[in-house]
């Protein structure tokens, strides 16, 4: 076997296709050595280069009056007034969490926090969006247990509250679960830190935990499909230490406050390789590293292993001239390993030295911004027919249908799960998973302001129509922020799909991005950060397309906010928004009739904006304090949520012109359910009429049952038992 052939074969094992390897040869003008090949393979992986999606990601609006920094840095930055900024991002840890659920999820939380505090923000809130396989699948219970324990174990120990999220179950995730983690942080707007190295001749300082052999080729694994040998990939899953992360947060923020930092980057995917390449590449300089100086926790580590390790809780900083002593003092105070491991140069190259020899010399340009980019062929997802109420069977027993729906895996209470998360550490949480609100709310400490945060996606809509499903994911996030009274400002996203080399999967990606981009433009809701996770499939079976949207909004005064947990007997229920009874791709159709068919509900973005702005104004003026957006399960499930959160019964009126199952279970968009005193309800109806907003009184609060007049009545205690009973029973086996 020739050397050239063995290197080409190694390139293929590392995820580089033969034609991509040819590009490596052209860029270098020679054969790479194994260290250089490893560096190319991780930097050109899908996870690091976005080579299949970059062409389409450019469609997103990324600027706005409150955007300080959009995509391209570690996280997005928005202005929240008074000289303060909010920094946030969402990222996936899907593949690692399937292979090793506890550490995969834990290091996902740790990694996303580093993305935020490396820009100068103190993390103040965590969210997660979790998708598991069918509850009947033999691996699902173990995966749920491990992932939830990992999220709680890491976030709780670091001391950042987990305030919101979502959890779904579907057989489409049997072979690839999704763990999307989001972090929100707070910083001074004039003290944001960036990763671009400003000039040559500056010291490159490593600090944090020592480097081990865990996580090597993690970025490459995250850019490949699973197969029958997936369990053998356990060594590519990193191991986290939340107590080390807490020390790292404090040391990083103190180092920034000292004025010593010229540029800074966390070591995430591809570890020392990506952090050094990105810092030098963005700054247009070169970088030289002496790998003998890297703090190591294992003996005889090779240059290849050190460059590709994804050991956790590590940072890379470029310090200002002569400031090494300041860094050394701070790192010693916080008990962190630290070393000056190199210098920025004017060569435009990444130069690696180990044991006195140059073991790598690569021009930075092809690593940083010249990865192969693809305009992959795609085919649109076939349109599904629009279903009418007549096409969908009504339940024989409405009370039993409601019980079954509220106990279905996606709809059932996730109390078992979120009770394992510390939701109130830092003492600024105003609303969380337990509160009965459509978004988590965290006070901006020492002010009257608060941030509202949410994560949203309805994968069954995206599968049915990626374009409409993409629009809906953004619109629902906007609606959830609006429903608590916040001004929606910006989003981050986590685009989870299967293999982009398959035209039908690429069609899902293109359709969803197009829909999301249109919604972001229409709602003035720019994308400021995000992550793309592709190749989420096993043996050719892809996950349902899942473009998760994480969103942040601002409450100027948290006294004027809404939830849905304080209904009072005698309150009138007012439905804002029009109802046609759309049942296609609904949870009613799937979980009660066992059918996944029909077009999803259309999303009229002008109507979303009109209705949402109307509701937000009611909250801000103090007229409405009890508000719930309508989503999965339609009117009846929103009413059940409000009744359960408040402990007060509700009686809904039937629709004068819709079939009962379409009226109750239809999932038409742009709708909100408000509970108001009688006089306020009359005032709201008059205001809605004047504003051209569809609104109707649809019921009243009182009693101990949830009822629909002349149709059924069921005790709240029975609904609660079904709703809260499913997950504990499932987890107990």
């Amino acid at each position: 076997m020739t050397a050239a052939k063995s290197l080409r074969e190694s390139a293929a094992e590392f995820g580089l296709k033969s034609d991509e390897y040819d590009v490596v040869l052209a860029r270098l003008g020679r054969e790479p050595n194994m260290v250089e090949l490893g560096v190319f393979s991780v930097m050109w992986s899908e996870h690091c280069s976005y080579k299949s999606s970059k062409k389409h990601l450019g469609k997103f609006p990324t600027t706005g009056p409150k955007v300080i920094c959009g995509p391209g840095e570690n996280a997005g930055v928005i202005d929240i007034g008074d000289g303060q900024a909010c920094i946030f991002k969402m990222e996936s840890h899907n593949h690692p969490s399937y292979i090793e659920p506890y550490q995969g999820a834990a290091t996902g939380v740790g990694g996303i926090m580093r993305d935020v505090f490396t820009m100068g923000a103190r993390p103040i809130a965590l969210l997660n969006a979790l998708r598991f396989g069918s509850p009947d699948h033999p691996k699902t219970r173990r995966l749920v247990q491990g992932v939830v324990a990992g999220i709680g174990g890491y976030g709780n120990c670091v001391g950042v509250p987990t305030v919101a999220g979502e959890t779904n179950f579907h057989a489409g995730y049997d072979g690839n679960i999704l763990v999307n983690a989001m972090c929100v942080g707070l910083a001074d707007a004039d003290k944001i830190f960036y990763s671009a190295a400003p000039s040559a001749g500056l010291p490159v300082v490593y600090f944090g935990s020592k480097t081990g052999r865990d996580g090597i080729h993690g970025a490459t694994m995250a850019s490949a499909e699973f197969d029958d040998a997936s369990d053998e990939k356990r060594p590519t899953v990193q191991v986290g230490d939340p107590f080390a992360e807490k020390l790292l947060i404090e040391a990083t923020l103190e180092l920034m406050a000292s004025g010593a930092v010229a540029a800074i980057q966390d070591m995430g995917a591809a570890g020392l390789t990506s952090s050094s390449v990105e810092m030098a590449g963005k700054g247009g300089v070169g970088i030289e590293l002496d790998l003998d100086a890297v703090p190591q926790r294992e003996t005889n580590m090779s240059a290849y292993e050190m460059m590709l390790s994804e050991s956790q809780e590590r940072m890379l900083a470029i310090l200002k001239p002569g400031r090494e002593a300041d860094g050394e003092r701070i790192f010693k105070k916080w008990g962190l390993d630290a070393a000056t491991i190199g210098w920025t140069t004017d060569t435009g190259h990444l130069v690696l030295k180990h044991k006195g020899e140059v073991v790598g010399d690569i021009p930075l340009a092809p690593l940083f911004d010249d990865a192969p980019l693809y305009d992959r062929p795609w085919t649109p997802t076939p349109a599904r027919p629009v279903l009418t109420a007549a096409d969908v069977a009504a339940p024989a027993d409405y009370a039993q249908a409601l019980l079954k729906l509220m106990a279905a895996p996606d709809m059932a209470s996730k109390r078992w799960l979120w009770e394992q998360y510390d939701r109130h550490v830092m003492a600024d949480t105003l609303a969380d998973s337990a509160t009965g609100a459509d978004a988590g709310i965290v006070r901006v400490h020492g002010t009257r302001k608060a941030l509202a945060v949410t994560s949203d996606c309805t994968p069954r809509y995206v599968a049915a129509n990626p374009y409409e499903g993409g629009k809906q994911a953004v619109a629902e996030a906007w609606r959830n922020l609006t429903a608590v009274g916040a001004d929606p400002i910006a989003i981050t996203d986590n685009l989870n799909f299967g293999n982009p080399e398959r035209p039908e999967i690429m069609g899902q990606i293109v359709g969803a991005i197009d829909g999301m981009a249109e919604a972001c433009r229409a709602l003035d809701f720019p994308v400021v950060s995000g992550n793309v996770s592709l190749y989420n499939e096993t043996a050719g079976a892809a996950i349902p397309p899942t473009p998760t949207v994480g969103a942040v909004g601002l409450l100027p005064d948290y006294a004027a906010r809404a939830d849905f947990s304080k209904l009072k007997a005698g309150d009138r229920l007012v439905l804002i928004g029009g109802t046609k009874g759309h049942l296609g791709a609904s949870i009613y159709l799937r979980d009660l009739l066992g059918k996944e068919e029909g077009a999803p509900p259309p999303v009229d973005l002008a109507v979303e904006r009109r209705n949402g702005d109307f509701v937000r104004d009611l909250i801000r003026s103090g007229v409405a304090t009890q508000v719930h957006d309508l989503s999965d399960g339609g009117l009846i499930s929103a009413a059940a949520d409000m009744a359960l959160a408040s402990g007060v019964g509700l009686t809904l009126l039937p629709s004068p012109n819709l079939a009962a199952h379409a009226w109750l279970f239809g999932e038409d968009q742009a709708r909100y359910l408000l509970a108001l005193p009688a006089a306020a309800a009359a005032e709201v109806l008059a205001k809605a009429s004047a504003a051209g907003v569809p609104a109707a009184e649809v019921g009243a609060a009182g009693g101990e049952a949830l009822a629909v007049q002349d149709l059924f009545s069921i005790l709240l205690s029975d609904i609660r038992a079904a709703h809260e009973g499913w997950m504990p029973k499932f987890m107990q086996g």
Side-chain angles (χ1 to χ4, degrees):
M1 182 183 292
T2 66
K5 184 174 181 183
S6 64
L7 277 169
R8 190 174 289 273
E9 286 181 346
S10 295
E13 289 174 10
F14 296 167
L16 288 174
K17 299 188 185 306
S18 184
D19 57 345
E20 292 176 335
Y21 182 69
D22 289 336
V23 178
V24 171
L25 298 181
R27 296 291 189 270
L28 281 179
R30 58 176 172 81
E31 292 278 358
N33 62 34
M34 283 298 289
V35 176
E36 293 167 332
L37 183 60
V39 167
F40 267 104
S41 71
V42 292
M43 291 309 297
W44 285 10
S45 68
E46 193 76 57
H47 191 79
C48 292
S49 71
Y50 299 123
K51 57 192 175 186
S52 296
S53 57
K54 204 171 216 177
K55 174 182 185 292
H56 299 284
L57 295 176
K59 300 170 183 174
F60 285 141
T62 58
T63 59
K66 294 187 177 180
V67 175
I68 295 173
C69 177
E73 273 292 339
N74 288 287
V77 187
I78 56 173
D79 185 347
I80 59 169
D82 307 308
Q84 293 178 305
C86 171
I87 300 179
F88 64 102
K89 188 183 182 186
M90 177 179 277
E91 196 157 75
S92 61
H93 236 219
N94 304 335
H95 286 58
S97 298
Y98 184 77
I99 293 169
E100 182 54 67
Y102 184 95
Q103 291 296 349
T107 52
V109 173
I112 198 63
M113 279 198 281
R114 286 194 299 281
D115 280 337
V116 166
F117 71 74
T118 195
M119 295 194 70
R122 179 170 292 280
I124 62 167
L126 294 167
L127 299 83
N128 52 73
L130 311 177
R131 322 281 172 183
F132 296 105
S134 167
D136 298 331
H137 191 275
K139 287 188 175 180
T140 299
R141 186 179 298 108
R142 179 183 68 83
L143 290 169
V144 173
Q145 200 132 28
V147 165
V148 171
I151 291 170
Y154 205 101
N156 297 355
C157 291
V158 174
V160 179
T162 300
V163 301
E166 54 184 338
T167 304
N168 296 144
F169 295 85
H170 189 276
Y173 303 105
D174 283 350
N176 273 87
I177 64 171
L178 301 184
V179 175
N180 296 170
M182 178 174 166
C183 180
V184 179
L186 195 63
D188 291 336
D190 61 351
K191 295 185 178 71
I192 308 299
F193 289 81
Y194 298 98
S195 56
S199 62
L202 300 178
V204 178
V205 176
Y206 169 121
F207 66 99
S209 297
K210 288 182 169 72
T211 294
R213 291 187 170 95
D214 52 324
I216 293 172
H217 270 297
T220 308
M221 177 192 70
S223 307
E225 297 176 34
F226 281 152
D227 54 30
D228 293 337
S230 295
D231 283 349
E232 296 172 11
K233 296 178 180 176
R234 286 183 191 277
T236 60
V237 177
Q238 311 93 325
V239 178
D241 180 348
F243 300 105
E245 180 103 343
K246 176 60 175 171
L247 298 175
L248 192 63
I249 293 172
E250 301 306 330
T252 301
L253 296 178
E254 186 171 334
L255 183 68
M256 291 166 166
S258 76
V261 175
I264 191 164
Q265 173 78 34
D266 76 301
M267 292 191 224
L272 189 52
T273 293
S274 66
S275 54
S276 57
V277 166
E278 288 180 20
M279 293 177 88
K282 288 176 183 175
V285 300
I287 191 165
E288 182 175 306
L289 302 179
D290 178 5
L291 299 179
D292 293 333
V294 171
Q296 300 161 52
R297 73 165 186 261
E298 300 185 48
T299 57
N300 299 318
M301 288 192 72
S302 68
Y304 175 91
E305 290 171 328
M306 281 186 274
M307 289 304 294
L308 271 63
S309 167
E310 292 185 10
S311 294
Q312 296 291 286
E313 293 88 40
R314 302 181 300 159
M315 304 286 281
L316 203 62
I318 294 174
L319 300 186
K320 294 174 182 175
R323 301 299 296 269
E324 293 95 326
D326 292 318
E328 189 176 332
R329 173 182 54 79
I330 292 166
F331 304 140
K332 186 175 181 180
K333 170 185 173 180
W334 291 102
L336 299 178
D337 286 290
T340 298
I341 65 167
W343 299 85
T344 56
T345 68
D346 59 6
T347 65
H349 279 230
L350 170 69
V351 177
L352 307 173
K353 293 183 176 178
H354 188 224
K355 297 182 178 178
E357 296 183 6
V358 173
V359 295
D361 187 344
I362 309 174
L364 278 159
L367 290 177
F368 172 64
D369 61 4
D370 192 26
L373 296 180
Y374 297 104
D375 184 1
R376 297 200 185 276
W378 60 276
T379 56
T381 301
R384 293 190 193 173
V386 175
L387 302 181
T388 68
D391 298 321
V392 179
D397 184 324
Y398 277 86
Q400 288 304 309
L402 177 60
L403 283 178
K404 185 176 179 181
L405 188 74
M406 295 302 289
D410 280 9
M411 299 290 287
S413 167
K414 304 304 184 297
R415 177 185 294 274
W416 177 92
L417 182 155
W418 49 250
E419 281 187 339
Q420 298 185 50
Y421 304 152
D422 191 332
R423 307 182 306 282
H424 297 280
V425 65
M426 301 179 84
D428 281 317
T429 303
L430 299 176
D432 61 70
S433 305
T435 306
D438 285 311
I441 304 176
V442 179
R443 180 171 39 209
V444 177
H445 198 74
T447 76
R448 298 293 300 174
K449 298 183 297 189
L451 295 171
V453 295
T454 185
S455 73
D456 294 287
C457 182
T458 310
R460 63 181 188 279
Y461 291 171
V462 190
N465 184 323
Y467 176 72
E468 286 295 330
K471 282 165 61 180
Q472 194 274 342
V474 173
E476 186 173 349
W478 190 87
R479 202 158 60 233
N480 281 333
L481 299 179
T482 294
V484 298
D487 289 313
I489 297 177
I491 73 168
T492 182
D493 60 55
N494 207 146
L495 307 180
N496 308 274
F497 293 90
N499 184 345
E501 297 167 50
R502 294 165 54 195
E504 68 275 19
I505 300 297
M506 198 65 215
Q508 294 176 342
I509 297 168
V510 173
I513 289 175
D514 285 349
M516 293 171 71
E518 182 181 335
C520 289
R521 285 190 296 270
L523 299 172
D524 291 328
F525 209 22
V527 180
V528 297
S529 61
N531 172 242
V532 177
S533 175
L534 307 182
Y535 296 94
N536 289 290
E537 54 183 80
T538 298
I543 60 160
T546 313
T548 308
V549 171
V552 174
L554 180 68
L555 289 151
D557 183 347
Y558 57 73
R561 69 183 191 271
D563 60 24
F564 52 85
S565 66
K566 302 177 188 69
L567 274 72
K568 296 181 177 63
D571 280 352
R572 302 294 195 268
L573 299 177
V574 174
L575 178 62
I576 302 294
T579 302
K580 295 182 179 178
H582 194 101
L583 290 166
S586 66
I587 206 155
Y588 170 85
L589 193 64
R590 189 188 76 188
D591 288 358
L592 269 69
L593 301 184
K595 297 178 180 179
E596 297 190 45
E597 58 190 34
V603 179
D604 185 323
L605 295 165
V607 170
E608 284 283 358
R609 180 146 202 165
R610 180 197 67 197
N611 294 1
D613 289 349
F614 177 77
V615 169
R616 192 183 312 103
D617 287 346
L618 294 176
I619 297 170
R620 290 286 175 81
S621 63
V623 174
T625 62
Q626 299 299 296
V627 179
H628 192 8
D629 90 303
L630 269 64
S631 56
D632 286 353
L635 174 61
I636 192 66
S637 70
D641 287 343
M642 295 180 86
L644 292 174
S646 305
V648 175
L650 297 172
T651 299
L652 294 175
L653 300 171
S655 168
N657 49 24
L658 284 176
H661 66 306
W663 169 241
L664 296 173
F665 298 106
E667 295 181 5
D668 305 75
Q669 300 294 292
R671 297 188 299 162
Y672 302 80
L673 188 59
L674 281 53
L676 302 152
E683 177 189 347
V684 166
L685 291 171
K687 285 184 174 180
S689 178
V693 173
E697 188 171 322
V698 296
E704 298 178 352
L706 178 62
V708 177
Q709 185 177 296
D710 301 326
L711 191 62
F712 74 92
S713 177
I714 185 166
L715 289 172
L716 288 187
S717 56
D718 291 339
I719 301 173
R720 192 181 305 280
H723 184 57
E724 297 193 355
W726 179 80
M727 194 151 190
K729 287 177 187 171
F730 168 63
M731 294 310 298
Q732 288 163 11

